[in-house]
Amino acid sequence: MTARNVLFIMCDQLRADHLGCYGHPWLRTRNIDALAARSVCFENAFVSSGVCGPSRMSYYTGRTATSHGATWNRVPMNIGEITLGEYLARHRRSLALAGKTHVVADEDGIARMTLAGNNEALAARLRVGHFHELDRYDGHHEPGSESGYPAWLRAHGYDSARPWSDYVISVQDDAGGVHSGWKMRNVHWPSRVLEAHSETAYMTDQAIRYIEQEGDTPWALHLSYVKPHWPYVAPAPYHNLYSRDQCLPLKRSEAELVDQHPVLAAYREQEECRNFARAEVSDKVRPVYQGLIQQLDDHLGRLFDTLERLGRFKDTLIVFCADHGDFLGDHWLGEKEIFYDTVQRVPMIVYDPSPLADATRGTRERRFMSNIDVVPTVLDSLSLPIDDARIEGRSVLPLLRGEPCGDWREFVVSELDYSFRRARLILDRQPDECRGWMVRDARWKYVHWQGFRAQLFDLENDPDEFVDLGSAADLEPVREAMHRKLGEWQRAARTRVTVNDALVLRTTDVHKSKGVFYGEW
Amino acid sequence: MTARNVLFIMCDQLRADHLGCYGHPWLRTRNIDALAARSVCFENAFVSSGVCGPSRMSYYTGRTATSHGATWNRVPMNIGEITLGEYLARHRRSLALAGKTHVVADEDGIARMTLAGNNEALAARLRVGHFHELDRYDGHHEPGSESGYPAWLRAHGYDSARPWSDYVISVQDDAGGVHSGWKMRNVHWPSRVLEAHSETAYMTDQAIRYIEQEGDTPWALHLSYVKPHWPYVAPAPYHNLYSRDQCLPLKRSEAELVDQHPVLAAYREQEECRNFARAEVSDKVRPVYQGLIQQLDDHLGRLFDTLERLGRFKDTLIVFCADHGDFLGDHWLGEKEIFYDTVQRVPMIVYDPSPLADATRGTRERRFMSNIDVVPTVLDSLSLPIDDARIEGRSVLPLLRGEPCGDWREFVVSELDYSFRRARLILDRQPDECRGWMVRDARWKYVHWQGFRAQLFDLENDPDEFVDLGSAADLEPVREAMHRKLGEWQRAARTRVTVNDALVLRTTDVHKSKGVFYGEW
């Protein structure tokens, strides 16, 4: 059965372990949990990179960071890349956007094609990754004209040229003093916007309005929240909904700081890690981070109620996911990027409206899903063709429907290009020497770093990844085997993007039919 | 010193060992040898693929087949790829073409960009790989309107709608009987065109006319001969200039047919290999193949005389090379593709007009050169910037000028995608299971095949590559080490094509200057 609509929900920097349905003991994410109860919840969903930009471009193209070329934030994809919105457009469908994409225009590529002036419509679509922008809001900057949010805030009485800086991420203390939410020391105070005027509330409103307006016309929406990403500022009452003892314990061990891997040591010198290494910081931030998730869940309740009211659970594919997690002091790290499961593993809930998926509802799937699987899953659900010359992910519909799908992947890979980071300067490396790759299977996690020793973790005996076995002599065969998997993965990349397999099948060994008779005696 | 002009000469399917300056004992290639005597002759120049299309696209982009995406003939490059002609055009220089490129238009990419109609000029340039086509002639098909050759033949009395088929590759026996030159049994007879009207003569005329016309205006020309590529038909007197005993001995051993590698066994079942495995065939073809090279050399003499007469050796960079070799029965193979040096190693002569290169003239360079080095060498010689976000090769000018160049590459890699070949059907494999990669250093050659065991050759003790050590248990560490090099090579690919290293250097750790203050306490 073919879905009619697509609702592709992403949260930014949301850890998988910070949802009730993924085992959080205190967070009350009842709406997300209710979605999981009618969906399949992927226990082992991983992103292709623990950085917003590359992870999102993989979500949008179905291709790895190596293949789409956006190896870090602010790096445009190769102009030859095709995104979900463009695949849908080929079938007269559009992909609406409410929220964040992190798509950066390849202005050099557009200039090279002389699209500007000659083909403004296409240039404009490429600049936004072929989304139809209801309201684009990339977050953590003062929004510009791409979003209606600043004007809406002003219309609601927030009288400022910079309402995001002055209200949304500013906080007010008990004495009326105003402080910047950029400083994590201040985030226990509430935001200066009312909850109903917060980023999460605003973007949920956009989504609900769109879904209501579309009615029975088939639609596809990417609802992409900027929260719980920093600045870790929440409006009341979410700023102090949780106490420190309702947060997960810090996942770190003093042993991790002994004989540190050089790249990790460099990361731990960066400001965000030095700060998150102090209990004072994580104690302050984690309750607010949970509050932001609680807020998201409450607004998702509004959204799901709308779907229910309109009968949209009958005909809408729903994907709920995140672009990566957040260390919040785990492993003596702040932010993201590095290859621990805390950041690389993401929540992934897939709701298939087809009755064929009824048998799996509420189940948990342990096979590996990757963010590159979302594009083929969406296309498959809509019964649209999947471009096998380009798309490297696989549709997970067979997993949802208990259908045979042959061998499934036994490992996932994630990538990092830290050349834009201070860690590069600390390590005194050139921009082309800063790549790392993680290979993770059910038992082992292996990390290959350019120019440094590898890392290895035994996930069975050390699920918290505290013991780096990268130098353990007896495990060289394991590292070797994992390194081979990295090679397999690299060699399986879809590089022949201009010719699909069907054309290869049709044109194998056809030279004589084209008048070419080499090799005849 | 900056060169003013560029003459980039390519022969199609010319083995390195079939030139006097590369040691052929009978072939009298005095003009090419004279060029070598004033140039540097690269002893270890290898192509990125032993197939025309991918090798040529590497020559034109400075990138590997994995990176440019044209993994086989008729596969267009990714539309994002930039070729030498486009690099030159950015500096108001054009790259003229006389002869073959094998560039195939990415019509889907052009349609996607809606260039056709909106931007015909660019669409037209992309269709021809940004060459300015004086006369495009891809060879071994009846030429169309892209070449003036058919009309020119008719003007010279070859009265036929298909003058190439009826005259150029048709031969005439002593009794006046006409036979097809496609059939190798016939190639000892002369072509039905006069030598002065042959493909090689015609294309040399185009080049000379262009160089004369340009005068002192800076120019760049790709003179790309379709010979000595099949059909192996030569005009008199070149059809019988050499006898069988003036040809190189067949390089093959019965031992090669014992426990054959499955991919090689499949190739050897293909028609061209079954025929070339018979002495009758190589005995017939090799003398003509040598004649075609002799003819090339004679016409290159005319070309070099023109350069000398016009004083162009003072200001012209010259690259002389081939896209790959030809087995001609060696290793029980015909044609090309497979990873023996016979095919992968090519002639490569680089003439630098700068006095800085005087000290190396006539010398032989043993360091590895790759076909991906030609684009950066040309740009470097013209003092134009080399786009480090994309170009994977290195300028060899420092080697020509005895300048320090840091570590040079210690191995080369070649790739094969045999999915379009009958071998795939014989092996019953899918199109995405047909890749092979060769890693060759000074001592070893290692070949990794998808789905089959590896191959290994000890080039020191077995320079003829007769003994496949792919299963030798004691050499597992060698295979492992070579496999690691393959991984290094893959991970060094230039994937972040939209951002160059200079921009990375300028924008490392700059988030605070952009108003983003994450991680502050």
Side-chain angles (χ1 to χ4, degrees), chain A residues 418-419 421-429, chain B residues 505 508-509:
Chain A
Y418 64 87
S419 58
R421 295 287 261 131
R422 197 164 73 86
R424 178 176 72 73
L425 307 178
I426 293 168
L427 293 166
D428 192 21
R429 296 182 70 76
Chain B
L505 293 172
T508 298
D509 197 35

Side-chain angles (χ1 to χ4, degrees), chain A residues 65-66 69 71 74-82 86 90 106 108 112-115 118-119 122 126 130 140-141 182-186 230 271-272 275 278 280-281 284 335 417 419-422 424-425 430-432 435 437 446 448 450 476 479-480 483-484 486-487 490-499 501 503-505 507-512 514-521, chain B residues 65-66 69 71 74-82 86 90 106 108 112-115 118-119 122 126 130 140-141 182-186 230 271-272 275 278 280-281 284 335 417 419-422 424-425 430-432 435 437 446 448 450 476 479-480 483-484 486-487 490-499 501 503-505 507-512 514-521:
Chain A
T66 282
T71 63
R74 303 191 304 272
V75 175
M77 287 181 280
N78 188 323
I79 199 164
E81 292 299 303
I82 294 178
E86 189 168 352
R90 291 176 180 184
D106 176 15
D108 288 344
R112 171 176 177 252
M113 294 290 175
T114 56
L115 296 177
N118 281 302
N119 195 347
L122 179 64
L126 287 170
H130 279 258
H140 64 79
H141 290 78
W182 278 121
K183 305 280 188 200
M184 294 188 285
R185 66 171 74 238
N186 298 325
W230 45 255
E271 182 178 28
E272 74 283 1
N275 277 328
R278 298 188 296 117
E280 177 184 32
V281 177
K284 180 87 77 167
E335 270 277 89
D417 170 7
S419 58
F420 291 90
R421 295 287 261 131
R422 197 164 73 86
R424 178 176 72 73
L425 307 178
Q430 292 302 305
D432 61 350
R435 302 286 182 102
W437 289 264
Y446 169 82
H448 177 84
Q450 281 185 333
E476 179 58 22
R479 290 191 296 270
E480 200 60 58
H483 191 80
R484 287 217 160 235
L486 175 59
Q490 291 176 301
R491 290 187 296 273
R494 289 285 175 170
T495 58
R496 193 192 60 220
V497 295
T498 54
V499 170
D501 286 357
L503 183 60
V504 175
L505 293 171
T507 57
T508 299
D509 196 34
V510 295
H511 56 281
K512 292 193 182 187
K514 312 238 176 204
V516 174
F517 304 96
Y518 65 82
E520 290 192 1
W521 175 243
Chain B
T66 282
T71 62
R74 302 192 303 275
V75 174
M77 287 181 280
N78 188 322
I79 198 163
E81 292 299 303
I82 294 178
E86 189 168 352
R90 290 177 180 184
D106 176 16
D108 288 344
R112 171 177 176 251
M113 295 289 175
T114 54
L115 295 177
N118 280 303
N119 195 348
L122 179 64
L126 288 170
H130 279 257
H140 64 78
H141 290 78
W182 278 121
K183 306 278 189 200
M184 294 188 286
R185 67 171 74 237
N186 297 326
W230 45 255
E271 182 178 28
E272 73 283 1
N275 276 328
R278 299 187 298 117
E280 176 184 32
V281 177
K284 180 85 77 168
E335 271 275 270
D417 170 7
S419 58
F420 291 90
R421 294 287 262 132
R422 195 163 75 84
R424 177 175 72 74
L425 307 178
Q430 293 302 307
D432 61 352
R435 302 287 181 100
W437 289 264
Y446 169 83
H448 176 86
Q450 281 184 332
E476 179 58 23
R479 291 191 296 272
E480 199 62 56
H483 191 79
R484 286 216 161 235
L486 175 59
Q490 290 176 300
R491 289 186 297 273
R494 288 286 174 171
T495 58
R496 193 192 60 220
V497 295
T498 54
V499 171
D501 286 356
L503 182 60
V504 176
L505 293 172
T507 56
T508 298
D509 197 35
V510 295
H511 55 282
K512 292 194 181 186
K514 311 237 177 207
V516 174
F517 303 96
Y518 65 82
E520 288 192 1
W521 175 244

Side-chain angles (χ1 to χ4, degrees), chain B residues 16 30 159 347 426 448:
Chain B
R30 64 183 179 83
D159 184 25
I426 294 167
H448 176 86

Side-chain angles (χ1 to χ4, degrees), chain A residues 37-226:
Chain A
R38 61 208 297 181
S39 307
V40 171
C41 199
F42 284 82
E43 295 269 16
N44 291 297
F46 285 81
V47 285
S48 58
S49 173
V51 181
C52 285
S55 172
R56 284 163 184 270
M57 300 316 120
S58 288
Y59 268 115
Y60 304 153
T61 60
R63 286 159 61 77
T64 68
T66 282
S67 294
H68 63 56
T71 63
W72 214 65
N73 297 326
R74 303 191 304 272
V75 175
M77 287 181 280
N78 188 323
I79 199 164
E81 292 299 303
I82 294 178
T83 52
L84 179 58
E86 189 168 352
Y87 287 124
L88 294 180
R90 291 176 180 184
H91 300 278
R92 295 171 298 284
R93 298 282 306 251
S94 89
L95 178 59
L97 169 69
K100 172 169 179 169
T101 66
H102 229 293
V103 168
V104 182
D106 176 15
E107 290 295 347
D108 288 344
I110 288 171
R112 171 176 177 252
M113 294 290 175
T114 56
L115 296 177
N118 281 302
N119 195 347
E120 266 310 332
L122 179 64
R125 289 196 297 276
L126 287 170
R127 286 193 178 100
V128 299
H130 279 258
F131 284 100
H132 166 54
E133 297 185 341
L134 304 177
D135 191 293
R136 176 170 176 170
Y137 184 73
D138 270 3
H140 64 79
H141 290 78
E142 194 67 49
S145 59
E146 72 280 7
S147 174
Y149 188 47
W152 185 82
L153 285 172
R154 281 189 286 269
H156 284 79
Y158 301 93
D159 183 26
S160 165
R162 305 171 72 240
W164 181 76
S165 299
D166 292 341
Y167 291 96
V168 179
I169 65 149
S170 282
V171 298
Q172 189 159 326
D173 66 25
D174 285 343
V178 172
H179 310 279
S180 170
W182 278 121
K183 305 280 188 200
M184 294 188 285
R185 66 171 74 238
N186 298 325
V187 300
H188 58 297
W189 301 112
S191 164
R192 295 185 73 210
V193 289
L194 290 179
E195 197 282 320
H197 301 148
S198 67
E199 294 159 292
T200 296
Y202 173 82
M203 209 50 77
T204 307
D205 291 347
Q206 303 299 315
I208 290 173
R209 183 178 315 130
Y210 170 77
I211 291 168
E212 288 176 341
Q213 280 174 353
E214 294 302 296
D216 288 335
T217 309
W219 52 266
L221 172 66
H222 182 38
L223 168 58
S224 188
Y225 290 111
V226 297

Side-chain angles (χ1 to χ4, degrees), chain A residues 348-425:
Chain A
M348 183 70 73
I349 299 168
V350 186
Y351 172 77
D352 177 0
S354 168
L356 298 172
D358 285 350
T360 64
R361 299 197 190 285
T363 64
R364 309 187 76 78
E365 173 60 63
R366 293 193 58 78
R367 279 174 282 191
F368 284 110
M369 182 166 170
S370 166
N371 57 346
I372 62 176
D373 297 338
V374 169
V375 166
T377 298
V378 168
L379 295 173
D380 196 13
S381 177
L382 297 175
S383 299
L384 298 178
I386 297 168
D387 178 359
D388 68 18
R390 297 179 169 273
I391 292 176
E392 296 170 328
R394 289 178 67 174
S395 168
V396 301
L397 281 202
L399 306 189
L400 306 182
R401 296 176 179 183
E403 291 168 356
C405 56
D407 293 336
W408 197 255
R409 70 167 67 83
E410 293 187 344
F411 62 91
V412 288
V413 173
S414 183
E415 305 183 60
L416 176 62
D417 170 7
Y418 64 87
S419 58
F420 291 90
R421 295 287 261 131
R422 197 164 73 86
R424 178 176 72 73
L425 307 178

